């Protein structure tokens, strides 16, 4: 490539320009962004990856009903089903002589039904009774189904009691009965407690039988609403204050700066906790409590930039030509702070979503039946030993959404931050 | 001590006073001026208006706001927080005296972990800027930043106490051991050493590992980012180029010259980021049932014990202001441009 | 060009490219020159013409995204381009040293003056005993006119001129053969600058080292240099003895540059010469001779072919078609008298 110049050289070609750089001059905007990956490398991929992730998340947040198979607040199946696990069916065991065909026959309040203590059967019994009562109500009959549950220490004790006629029927899972029921020839399996829903749930169900997948899909909407609106409120307050404070200086600036610095140094979550505690639960209150935290962030950055832009020659020149302060602020200074606002906004939304999840986790944010990741995590904490899926999926969802926003902010700042620029 | 250093420190001390004042005022505004009636929420709807009035009078809430404000300021400054409304009406200052050491015991190891881990990997990423390892470290820092601290805690609990039960799930010490353990300073690690109670010491340490690791790891993301950005800036400084022109080894330039200078901006930022640590501590304490300030605050909010809540937030404010002052002192010590 | 033991550095066909996102910039393009032992060579040019890049390239201090794309640097008979990292570190500091523009920032703010100097000794001569190193530092500092009590100071406690002397000291402590002073006096005020210039000259006499003075300030070069190299748009356009060039500039750019220097004679109301046009954008440099769009003497040939660096009389090189033959040239070649 580099040879000594000879007189025959037509054009002085000293280096081989990489093809992509030549292409850069000729292509349109979209292709230019695509080609920029060669220059920005990993950061370009970070931006693209997080942009796609965000697009996906925002679509989920706007149209959760397209993705969620169930109502997030509805109890759709038995509780604490592992991901993919079908709800176990329960069967009624009764004495052959009693001639019972289905559960309904022995569900009145004068009958006794046996269960093993602290087993899933107790809940199955409860659910079956509720279902019968609902059915009766729908048919206009009085809802009077209420059999007395009798608890036994072991399955064998229960079955013996059933065989002896002490209880009218016994409820157990078919898997448990296998190999044991044969020992009691006088007992028979009368059939399922209620009709089965055979298919499982992709992320399982929680402790009250709600579909976790549907809940985290609907939780996206809550998280996005809280994250975006609180960030926007902070911008609307923090940016004008920062601009004005940096622009006019003087005692107003000093007092405001001291105030904002104090606010900034105070642990954000603790401030949000106290505001949320005083205001009470509700999505608007959460937005206010979180917005307060990020006002100082915008204020500090915008004020700092205003101070430095104010010194620039072109601003001085505009001032000497008699431009109005409002014109200078709006036309000269404001455009310069936009890139930093974009970067902080992105990181700020991520942080706001984390804070919201934290508030709900502490039980301070939203009404308790809201499909919210923080609330689900807090509830799942009680079932840590039994059901890992209760916390895992909402937790991963918070992490993913936060990751998308903060990755966008981080890589944009790497690309746009003049302090880090090389050329 | 040179006169410029003395001036710097005196200025800082004087700047801390308005900061504490602003923070206490903020607590007052949040607790009394925002809409919402603390007394009603404390007593619940069933209590009669007379009873509510009686409690208002007892707490001085029926006086004019400005009187309440100055009274509040005075009580905060004299650390006279009153007594808790619940749980045997103990003086709040005594309760906080037990909770604050727990929080400090949790945050100090977390801070040490995060500072060492975060600064070293941030500096390394800056040295290898735009190489694969840099992107790897950055991705890690974004990821740990994005994982909610309580979720990380819960996952650690599932892995290390439920699936592989090698570490305790929650609390500061085994419950059995608590019966014959008498705390002196309420720093349990320190207390068990002072008493020579090695079983208690082991129990304390094993209880400390998961919460402080969680807290430390969650903060590492911020630290890596700060260190990296400041290091990159520092590595473009003239004195690094000049050092390179003198033939100083790259390693020495990065880890001695640049890193030592980076400590100065990082230290100011640590002071400011300390807030994140305390906020993280609230969530960590709740996750691990760690009986510190944060959990106390959340508990009292649930119990609607509004006197205790405002005292706790006030103590947090003091704590933040003092840390920020301490950082300024340290800053003055590290940066010769202030020292001389 | 000559190549004997008088020559300290030989630079041959050196090119440096910056890879920016707007495309590659050819900051230094096919530059060849020599630096003699014990001389002061002035390298002048407008800002952005690549003179600082050239200075850094001599030490192989070009950092990504820039790259030395080709050429050779022979320092005292050894090819610098072939050095490995270890060799290169040893070469920097021990053989060659650099003083930068901004004395405020070119010393480590958290390191004391003597720590800088002792560190330089310990890194390059690890066997040196601390006492010996301290002794050497004290001797040197005395010769540079810095008081011994200043050794325990931090850089921010020193004046600008004093800091530049410390930087010179860092070059001298290891007996470097060449010091590159990159705009070293630009940020100092006039009186301090004059002192530093005197000192540089004294140092050259005393230590017998060569100094490459990179500056945009022609007056400074006139004051200090033995020879001068004029740089334009990444190329050296003229090189020769200071007196010859000032009395009889050959390249049209040099002529323009010299006549645009203001004189301080009070009654002199002569209008200064203003060169037409702008320095070129090095992303897309002009074809042929890079100066031709601004050159008052430009010929059709100039936009098509790049001239060579030719020795028109002994010790005098010019990079211009006016003084070179070419089959397609319309005008006759000017012959320069020695």
């Amino acid at each position: 490539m580099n040879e000594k110049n000879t007189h025959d050289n037509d054009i002085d070609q000293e280096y081989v320009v990489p093809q992509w750089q030549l292409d850069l001059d000729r292509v349109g905007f979209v292709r230019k962004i695509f080609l920029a990956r060669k220059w920005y490398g990993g950061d370009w991929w970070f931006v693209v990856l997080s942009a796609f992730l965000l697009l996906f998340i925002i679509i989920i947040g706007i149209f959760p009903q397209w993705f969620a198979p169930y109502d997030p607040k509805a109890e759709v199946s038995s509780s604490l089903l592992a991901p993919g696990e079908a709800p176990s069916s329960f069967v009624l065991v009764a004495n052959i002589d009693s001639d019972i065909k289905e559960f309904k026959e022995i569900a009145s309040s004068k009958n006794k039904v046996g269960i093993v203590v602290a087993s899933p059967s107790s809940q199955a019994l409860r659910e079956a009774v509720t279902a019968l009562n609902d059915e009766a109500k729908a048919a206009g009959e009085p809802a009077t189904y209420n059999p007395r549950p009798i608890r036994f220490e072991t399955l064998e004790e229960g079955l013996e009691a059933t065989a002896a006629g002490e209880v009218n029927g016994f409820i157990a899972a078919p898997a448990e009965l296998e190999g044991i029921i044969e020992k009691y020839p006088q007992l028979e399996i009368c059939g399922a407690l209620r009709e089965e829903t055979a298919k499982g749930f992709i992320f399982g169900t929680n402790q009250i039988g709600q579909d976790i997948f549907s809940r985290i899909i609907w939780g996206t909407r809550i998280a996005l609403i809280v994250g975006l609106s609180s960030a926007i409120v902070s911008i609307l307050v923090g940016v004008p204050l920062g601009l004005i404070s940096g622009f006019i200086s003087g005692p107003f600036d000093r007092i405001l700066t001291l105030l904002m610095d104090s606010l900034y140094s105070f642990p954000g979550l603790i401030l949000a906790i106290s505001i949320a505690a005083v205001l009470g639960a509700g999505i608007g209150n959460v937005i206010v409590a979180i917005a307060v935290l990020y006002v100082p962030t915008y204020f500090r950055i915008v004020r700092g930039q205003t101070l430095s832009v104010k010194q620039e020659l072109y601003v001085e020149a505009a001032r000497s030509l008699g431009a109005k302060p409002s014109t200078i602020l709006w036309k000269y200074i404001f455009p310069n702070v936009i890139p930093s606002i974009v970067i902080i906004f992105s990181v700020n939304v991520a942080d706001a979503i984390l804070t919201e999840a934290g508030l709900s986790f502490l039980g301070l944010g939203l009404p308790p039946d809201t499909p919210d990741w923080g609330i689900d995590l807090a509830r799942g904490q009680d079932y840590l030993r039994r059901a890992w899926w209760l916390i895992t999926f909402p937790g991963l969802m918070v992490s993913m959404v936060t990751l998308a926003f903060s990755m966008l902010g981080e890589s944009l700042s790497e690309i746009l931050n003049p302090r880090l620029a090389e050329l | 001590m040179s006169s410029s250093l003395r001036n710097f420190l005196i200025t800082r001390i004087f700047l801390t006073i308005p900061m504490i004042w602003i923070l206490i005022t903020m607590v007052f505004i949040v607790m009394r001026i925002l809409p919402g009636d603390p007394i009603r929420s404390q007593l619940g709807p069933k209590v009669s208006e007379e009873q509510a009035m009686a409690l208002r009078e007892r707490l001085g809430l029926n006086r004019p706001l400005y009187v309440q404000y100055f009274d509040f300021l005075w009580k905060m400054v004299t650390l006279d927080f009153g007594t808790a409304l619940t749980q045997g009406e103990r003086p709040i200052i005594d309760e906080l005296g037990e909770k604050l050491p727990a929080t400090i015991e949790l945050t100090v190891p977390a801070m040490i972990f995060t500072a060492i881990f975060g600064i070293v990997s941030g500096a390394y990423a800056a040295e290898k800027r735009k190489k694969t390892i840099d992107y790897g470290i950055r991705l890690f820092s974004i990821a740990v930043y994005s994982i909610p601290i309580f979720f990380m805690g819960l996952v650690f609990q599932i892995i290390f106490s439920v699936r592989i039960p090698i570490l305790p799930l929650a609390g500061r010490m085994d419950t059995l051991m608590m019966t014959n353990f008498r705390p002196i300073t309420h720093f349990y690690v320190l207390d068990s050493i002072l008493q020579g109670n090695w079983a208690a010491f082991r129990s304390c340490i094993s209880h400390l590992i998961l919460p402080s690791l969680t807290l430390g790891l969650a903060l590492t993301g911020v630290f890596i980012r700060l260190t990296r950005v400041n290091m990159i800036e520092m590595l473009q400084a003239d004195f690094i180029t000049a050092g390179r022109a003198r033939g100083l080894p790259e390693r020495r330039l990065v880890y001695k010259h640049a890193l030592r200078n980076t400590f100065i901006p990082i230290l100011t930022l640590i002071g400011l980021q300390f807030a994140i640590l305390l906020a993280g501590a609230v969530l960590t304490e709740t996750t691990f049932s760690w009986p510190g300030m944060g959990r106390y605050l959340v508990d009292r909010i649930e119990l609607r014990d509004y006197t205790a809540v405002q005292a706790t937030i006030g103590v947090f404010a003091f704590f933040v202001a003092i840390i920020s002052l301490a950082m300024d002192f340290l800053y003055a010590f590290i940066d010769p441009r202030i020292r001389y | 060009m000559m190549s004997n033991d008088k020559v300290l550095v030989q630079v041959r066909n050196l090119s440096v490219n910056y890879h920016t996102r707007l495309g590659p910039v050819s900051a230094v393009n096919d530059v060849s020159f020599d630096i003699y032992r014990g001389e002061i060579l002035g390298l002048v040019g407008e800002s952005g013409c690549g003179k600082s890049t050239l200075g850094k390239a001599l030490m192989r201090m070009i950092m990504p995204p820039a790259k030395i794309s080709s050429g050779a640097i022979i320092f005292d008979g050894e090819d610098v381009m072939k050095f490995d990292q270890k060799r290169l570190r040893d070469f920097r500091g021990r053989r060659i040293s650099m003083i930068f523009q901004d004395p405020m920032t070119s010393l480590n703010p958290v390191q004391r003056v003597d720590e800088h100097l002792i560190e330089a000794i310990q890194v390059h001569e690890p066997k040196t005993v601390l006492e010996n190193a301290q002794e050497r530092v004290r001797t040197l500092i005395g010769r540079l006119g810095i008081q011994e009590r200043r050794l325990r100071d931090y850089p921010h406690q020193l004046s600008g001129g004093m800091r530049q002397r410390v930087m010179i000291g860092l070059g001298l402590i290891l007996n470097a053969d060449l010091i590159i002073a990159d705009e070293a006096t630009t940020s100092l005020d006039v009186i301090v600058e004059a002192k530093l210039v005197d000192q540089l000259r004294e140092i050259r006499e005393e230590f017998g080292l060569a100094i490459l003075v990179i500056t945009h300030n022609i007056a400074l070069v006139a004051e200090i240099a033995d020879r001068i190299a004029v740089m334009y748009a990444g190329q050296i356009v003229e090189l020769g003895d200071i007196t010859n060039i000032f009395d009889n500039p050959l390249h049209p750019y040099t002529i323009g540059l010299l006549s645009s220097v203001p004189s301080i004679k009070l009654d002199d109301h002569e209008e200064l010469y203003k060169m037409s046009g702008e320095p070129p954008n090095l992303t897309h440099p002009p074809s042929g001779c890079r100066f031709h769009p601004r050159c008052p003497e430009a010929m059709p040939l100039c936009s098509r072919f790049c001239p060579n660096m030719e020795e028109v009389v002994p010790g005098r090189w010019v990079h211009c078609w006016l003084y070179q033959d070419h089959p397609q040239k319309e005008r006759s070649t000017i012959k320069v008298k020695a």
Side-chain angles (χ1 to χ4, degrees):
Chain A
M1 45 196 254
N2 173 77
E3 298 300 336
K4 261 191 76 180
N5 295 312
T6 58
H7 290 193
D8 317 311
N9 266 5
D10 216 349
I11 295 172
D12 183 17
Q13 182 92 38
E14 279 296 308
Y15 43 81
V16 172
V17 181
Q19 190 56 39
W20 65 269
Q21 285 187 347
L22 290 177
D23 293 345
L24 208 58
D25 291 338
R26 293 192 219 111
V27 296
F29 181 68
V30 176
R31 287 270 292 156
K32 233 175 212 151
I33 288 179
F34 185 64
L35 283 170
R37 75 185 189 280
K38 305 273 189 181
W39 177 253
Y40 291 116
D43 286 300
W44 187 89
W45 287 105
F46 278 10
V47 171
V48 170
L49 198 69
S50 48
F52 274 107
L53 209 55
L54 279 182
L55 192 70
F56 179 61
I57 290 164
I58 287 171
I59 290 175
I60 292 182
I62 297 176
F63 305 107
Q65 62 274 25
W66 292 0
F67 300 90
Y70 300 101
D71 180 351
K73 293 182 187 175
E75 293 168 30
V76 289
S77 184
S78 36
S79 62
L80 296 176
L81 289 179
E85 182 192 333
S88 52
S89 56
F90 288 89
V91 288
L92 182 67
V93 179
N95 217 311
I96 294 178
D97 314 326
S98 66
D99 203 24
I100 291 167
K101 289 280 167 287
E102 55 177 339
F103 176 61
K104 200 173 172 179
E105 294 169 29
I106 56 159
S108 68
S109 57
K110 59 180 188 290
N111 291 320
K112 293 178 206 155
V113 177
I115 47 172
V116 173
V117 71
S119 74
S121 343
S122 66
Q123 200 194 343
L125 173 64
R126 224 171 24 247
E127 279 166 11
V129 173
T130 318
L132 282 176
N133 284 331
D134 288 349
E135 215 173 277
K137 256 187 223 154
E141 295 160 21
T144 52
Y145 295 103
N146 188 20
R148 246 176 77 202
I150 305 295
R151 293 175 180 82
F152 296 97
E153 284 299 316
T154 60
L155 190 62
E156 281 82 359
E157 278 178 34
L159 290 179
E160 255 163 51
T162 317
E166 287 168 32
V167 292
N168 300 73
F170 192 84
I171 290 169
E176 295 177 293
L177 291 171
E178 218 164 286
I180 298 175
I181 189 80
E182 285 82 3
K183 293 183 205 154
Y184 305 94
Q186 65 275 49
L187 294 183
E188 63 164 357
I189 295 174
C190 307
L193 203 57
R194 52 195 278 218
E195 278 141 75
E196 292 177 24
T197 40
K199 68 179 185 330
F201 297 86
I202 174 164
F203 290 164
T205 58
N206 64 11
Q207 72 284 3
I208 43 176
Q210 294 164 328
D211 177 31
I212 291 181
F213 180 69
S214 304
R215 280 186 73 81
I216 62 170
I217 293 287
W218 281 89
T220 315
R221 171 176 274 187
I222 303 284
L224 286 183
I225 289 176
V226 173
L228 292 172
S229 3
S230 55
I232 289 168
V233 172
S234 318
I235 285 187
L236 291 181
V237 178
V239 172
L241 279 183
L243 278 174
I244 294 166
S245 188
F247 190 66
I248 65 174
S249 319
F252 174 76
D253 176 48
R254 277 202 292 280
I255 291 171
L256 207 55
T257 307
L258 188 62
L259 191 75
M260 291 290 178
D261 279 353
S262 311
L263 202 56
Y264 186 74
S265 65
F266 198 73
L269 187 72
I270 293 171
L271 189 63
I273 287 174
S274 39
I275 297 177
V278 171
L279 290 180
I283 196 161
N285 294 344
V286 173
I287 291 172
V288 170
I290 295 176
V292 172
L293 312 189
Y294 300 106
V295 170
T297 319
Y298 289 101
F299 175 85
R300 287 162 61 94
I301 298 284
V302 171
R303 177 179 170 272
Q305 293 221 325
T306 308
L307 282 179
S308 65
V309 175
K310 210 168 72 169
Q311 315 284 326
E312 297 280 338
L313 277 180
Y314 62 90
V315 177
E316 292 283 320
R319 204 198 309 269
S320 67
L321 289 173
K324 276 189 298 185
S326 59
T327 318
I328 294 177
L329 205 54
W330 184 247
K331 290 236 167 98
Y332 291 82
I333 296 179
F334 183 63
N336 278 292
V337 302
I338 291 177
S340 345
I341 296 179
V342 172
I343 294 167
I344 315 171
F345 179 77
S346 178
V347 178
N348 172 197
V349 174
D351 216 56
I353 290 174
L354 279 182
T355 309
E356 190 271 327
L359 279 181
S360 320
F361 180 74
L362 297 174
L364 282 167
L366 301 164
D369 58 336
T370 320
D372 177 85
W373 302 329
I375 292 177
D376 285 0
L377 276 164
R379 287 186 187 164
Q381 194 184 3
D382 302 336
Y383 296 87
L384 209 57
R385 289 176 186 278
R386 283 160 59 195
W388 55 270
W389 56 94
L390 251 55
I391 59 149
T392 307
F393 297 111
L396 285 179
M397 201 62 189
V398 188
S399 311
M400 192 180 79
V401 175
T402 315
L403 184 84
F405 276 108
S406 46
M407 192 149 87
L408 186 69
E410 155 86 16
S411 30
L412 278 182
S413 81
E414 185 79 8
I415 289 176
L416 297 177
N417 191 345
R419 297 195 316 179
L420 302 179
E422 287 164 312
L423 268 170
Chain B
M1 199 196 273
S2 70
S3 67
S4 67
L5 177 63
R6 197 166 52 232
N7 287 344
F8 172 81
L9 295 182
I10 289 172
T11 321
R12 290 294 140 166
I13 292 173
F14 274 103
L15 275 176
T16 309
I17 293 169
M19 186 172 161
I20 293 180
W21 173 66
I22 288 175
L23 289 175
I24 290 179
T25 309
M26 220 159 61
V27 175
F28 180 80
I29 292 174
V30 169
M31 300 307 292
R32 310 262 171 110
I33 298 180
L34 281 187
D37 183 354
I39 293 305
R40 273 274 148 221
S41 58
Q42 188 169 317
L43 294 175
K46 287 182 197 132
V47 177
S48 72
E49 193 51 40
E50 286 83 62
Q51 279 171 296
M53 277 312 290
L55 186 62
R56 274 204 193 95
E57 195 158 328
R58 199 185 119 202
L59 295 175
L61 296 183
N62 51 355
R63 292 171 297 167
L65 262 186
Y66 72 92
V67 178
Q68 287 187 40
Y69 174 62
F70 285 111
D71 184 53
F72 178 72
L73 267 189
W74 179 247
K75 283 191 169 154
M76 280 287 159
V77 170
T78 53
L79 297 180
D80 169 19
F81 298 131
T83 53
L85 293 175
T86 42
Q87 298 202 346
E89 310 219 333
R90 281 183 71 195
I92 292 172
I93 186 87
D94 292 354
E95 298 210 322
L96 291 180
E98 288 169 17
K99 306 298 178 186
L100 190 61
T103 298
I104 294 175
E105 199 171 271
L106 170 69
T107 46
V108 167
M111 200 71 187
I112 293 171
F113 171 81
T114 198
I116 293 173
F117 187 51
I119 289 175
V120 168
S121 35
Y124 188 66
E127 187 197 347
K128 304 281 178 205
R129 189 181 182 197
K130 300 223 169 199
K131 303 230 169 71
T132 317
I133 184 78
D134 173 34
Y135 289 115
I137 291 176
R138 280 174 61 201
L139 202 59
F140 171 79
S141 87
I142 302 172
V144 291
Y145 170 81
S146 304
I147 299 172
I149 191 164
F150 45 94
F151 176 53
M152 200 189 289
L154 293 175
V155 170
F156 281 158
Q157 284 180 330
I158 289 186
I159 296 174
F160 295 108
S161 353
V162 177
R163 295 281 147 139
I164 319 163
I166 45 171
L167 288 170
L169 189 68
R172 282 183 86 181
M173 194 186 261
D174 289 337
T175 346
L176 285 176
M177 220 163 269
M178 286 294 286
T179 48
N180 54 7
F181 180 76
R182 305 195 56 207
I184 313 163
T185 58
H186 291 282
F187 290 98
Y188 283 9
V189 174
L190 195 66
D191 286 347
S192 57
I193 293 175
L194 286 178
Q195 296 171 359
N197 187 345
W198 297 114
F201 178 74
R202 265 197 304 278
S203 173
C204 284
I205 296 292
S206 69
H207 277 81
L208 196 54
I209 291 175
L210 277 189
S212 55
L213 185 71
T214 308
L215 186 55
L217 210 54
L219 290 173
T220 308
V222 180
F223 255 79
I224 291 178
R225 188 142 103 209
L226 289 179
T227 313
R228 179 177 171 275
V229 169
N230 281 293
M231 270 298 270
I232 287 176
E233 234 178 296
M234 208 52 82
L235 284 173
Q236 290 166 353
D238 285 351
F239 70 88
I240 295 293
T241 318
R244 202 172 280 137
R246 289 202 293 280
L248 301 185
E250 202 66 20
R251 200 148 284 265
R252 194 186 183 96
L253 285 172
V254 174
Y255 294 100
K256 183 151 180 263
H257 293 244
L259 192 57
R260 219 184 128 194
N261 277 281
T262 311
F263 276 142
I264 296 164
I266 287 182
L267 205 61
T268 16
L269 291 165
I270 291 181
L272 290 172
Q273 301 296 344
F274 197 79
I276 301 181
L277 182 79
L278 285 182
V282 174
L283 292 168
T284 315
E285 285 173 8
T286 315
T287 313
F288 288 95
S289 309
W290 189 268
M293 295 276 289
R295 200 177 143 75
Y296 182 73
L297 176 69
V298 175
D299 283 350
R300 292 296 124 150
I301 286 177
E302 264 167 37
L303 293 172
R304 308 273 172 208
D305 184 348
Y306 133 95
T307 328
V309 169
Q310 76 183 19
T312 313
I313 299 175
V315 169
F316 268 122
F318 272 120
F319 202 39
V320 165
I322 284 163
I323 291 294
S324 137
L325 188 66
M327 285 300 159
D328 281 339
F329 275 56
L330 208 57
Y331 175 84
F333 181 73
I334 286 194
D335 192 348
R337 280 162 293 190
I338 292 177
R339 206 164 3 131
Y340 293 99
Chain C
M1 292 179 210
M2 63 174 103
S3 172
N4 53 33
D5 53 297
K6 249 183 81 188
V7 179
L8 179 65
V9 190
Q10 287 175 294
V11 177
R12 291 293 174 269
N13 309 107
L14 190 70
S15 293
V16 179
N17 288 336
Y18 277 88
H19 292 271
T20 73
R21 72 185 146 204
L22 301 171
V25 170
S26 146
V28 173
N29 180 26
D30 195 33
V31 164
S32 303
F33 66 99
D34 290 346
I35 300 172
Y36 304 142
R37 285 176 202 279
E39 76 161 341
I40 298 184
L41 174 65
L43 182 62
V44 287
E46 295 162 88
S47 44
C49 72
K51 54 189 191 303
S52 285
T53 308
L54 179 56
K56 285 201 179 113
L58 288 186
M59 308 185 73
R60 268 186 67 194
M61 292 254 300
I62 302 292
M63 304 301 269
K67 201 175 173 299
I68 299 180
S69 51
S70 61
I73 302 162
I74 314 292
F75 192 98
D76 212 4
E78 289 172 299
D79 188 352
V80 178
M81 296 303 292
K82 294 206 174 73
F83 285 178
D84 60 4
Q85 281 302 316
K86 196 166 170 293
R87 205 54 216 290
L88 201 57
R89 269 209 308 278
D90 192 54
F91 165 71
R92 294 173 189 160
R94 201 201 274 283
R95 306 301 309 271
I96 190 166
S97 184
M98 196 162 187
I99 308 168
F100 295 87
Q101 173 165 7
D102 192 354
M104 302 295 283
T105 57
S106 46
L107 290 167
N108 185 346
V110 300
Q111 226 181 5
R112 294 173 197 271
V113 169
D114 59 341
E115 285 168 352
H116 279 92
L117 290 156
I118 288 172
E119 181 187 35
I121 299 177
Q122 283 176 335
V123 163
H124 288 283
E125 295 160 17
K127 290 195 190 89
T128 316
V129 192
L130 185 64
E131 283 74 40
N132 289 351
Q134 282 166 338
E135 189 51 45
R136 265 165 75 182
V137 168
R138 270 198 292 277
T139 324
L140 179 78
I141 249 23
R143 277 159 93 176
L144 287 170
I146 302 175
Q147 293 139 309
E148 220 177 285
R149 63 184 172 82
R150 289 297 203 170
L151 277 177
R152 293 304 289 168
D153 278 357
Y154 284 98
H156 72 275
Q157 293 168 286
L158 306 179
S159 67
M162 197 122 53
R163 265 177 254 177
Q164 283 304 46
R165 273 181 277 165
V166 173
M167 286 302 293
I168 297 174
L170 281 167
L172 295 175
I173 192 89
L174 296 162
N175 303 316
D177 300 296
L178 172 67
I179 288 185
I180 301 174
D182 184 0
E183 301 277 12
T185 62
T186 308
S187 60
L188 304 177
D189 65 57
V190 188
I191 311 276
V192 179
E193 179 176 3
K195 254 196 207 155
L196 194 72
V197 166
D198 279 346
Q199 200 156 27
L200 278 177
R201 253 196 316 240
E202 280 166 27
I203 285 165
R204 190 264 302 261
E205 305 296 326
E206 212 177 318
F207 294 82
L209 43 69
I211 301 176
L212 175 66
V213 177
I214 300 175
T215 180
H216 62 270
N217 183 349
I218 302 224
L220 175 77
V221 170
E223 181 93 2
I224 190 173
D226 305 318
R227 292 196 309 149
I228 174 171
V230 181
M231 207 166 165
Y232 179 78
Q235 293 173 322
I236 290 183
V237 293
E238 189 164 0
L239 174 66
D241 271 3
I242 185 106
T243 41
N244 286 342
I245 288 191
F246 272 72
D247 294 345
N248 178 26
L250 294 180
H251 195 283
Y253 177 70
T254 318
I255 297 169
L257 193 68
L258 289 178
S259 43
S260 57
V261 177
S263 100
I264 51 168
K265 267 183 265 163
L266 283 176
D267 54 345
D268 188 2
H269 290 295
E270 218 179 309
E271 193 146 329
L272 281 179
Y273 173 79
K274 291 179 202 72
M275 214 176 290
S276 64
E278 297 276 316
N281 170 7
L282 292 181
T283 331
H284 300 287
S287 59
C289 169
R290 288 181 171 186
F291 186 57
H292 83 259
R294 300 173 76 184
C295 181
E297 310 280 344
M299 298 173 281
L301 177 75
C302 296
S303 62
R304 292 171 53 210
F305 304 114
C306 189
N308 278 335
M309 191 73 176
E310 248 180 40
E311 191 167 17
V312 288
V313 283
R316 187 81 189 270
W317 286 268
V318 185
H319 183 265
C320 182
W321 282 124
L322 288 175
Y323 311 96
Q324 291 172 32
D325 287 323
H326 189 275
Q328 291 176 32
K329 202 171 151 185
E330 297 87 349
R331 277 156 62 178
S332 57
T333 301
I334 301 170
K335 293 280 173 235
V336 187
K337 283 188 242 35

